[in-house]
Amino acid sequence: MRNDPKNVPVGRDAAEQTAVAVLGWLASEPDMLGRFLALSGLEAGQLRQAVDDPDFLAGMLDFVMAHEPTLLAFCEASGTKPEAVAAAWRHFSKPGLDSGQY
């Protein structure tokens, strides 16, 4: 279990629930899904298999976190707080140079 910057534990279940919600939202937004597929190199038929891959979840959350309007659109549509998305993103992402884990 990794912690968010406020030291609130982020468990795998909560992180997975957020990631699945993001995928569901992407599926309901054809233009956004098309953009994600184009950037990720995946085809729509590969999504069901990819959802079990933590690296795919990290990449999908990277996609949302990299563009604030996309993040806010997801949060508004789903009623999810941006902090919850950020916590899920940190859970699935490998530590970066600014993480203090090196």
Side-chain angles (χ1 to χ4, degrees), residues 26-101:
L26 284 173
S28 72
E29 298 287 332
D31 291 340
M32 194 65 64
L33 180 61
R35 183 171 167 249
F36 172 71
L37 292 173
L39 290 171
S40 69
L42 292 172
E43 295 180 16
Q46 295 174 298
L47 292 177
R48 287 182 194 237
Q49 293 171 334
V51 76
D52 293 326
D53 181 353
D55 290 333
F56 165 77
L57 298 178
M60 184 181 59
L61 291 166
D62 278 345
F63 171 77
V64 172
M65 291 293 294
H67 188 242
E68 186 176 12
T70 300
L71 170 65
L72 296 177
F74 164 72
C75 291
E76 183 177 329
S78 66
T80 303
K81 292 183 179 184
E83 297 84 359
V85 180
W89 173 67
R90 280 188 299 280
H91 176 83
F92 286 109
S93 297
K94 294 178 176 41
L97 293 176
D98 62 346
S99 70
Q101 295 184 8

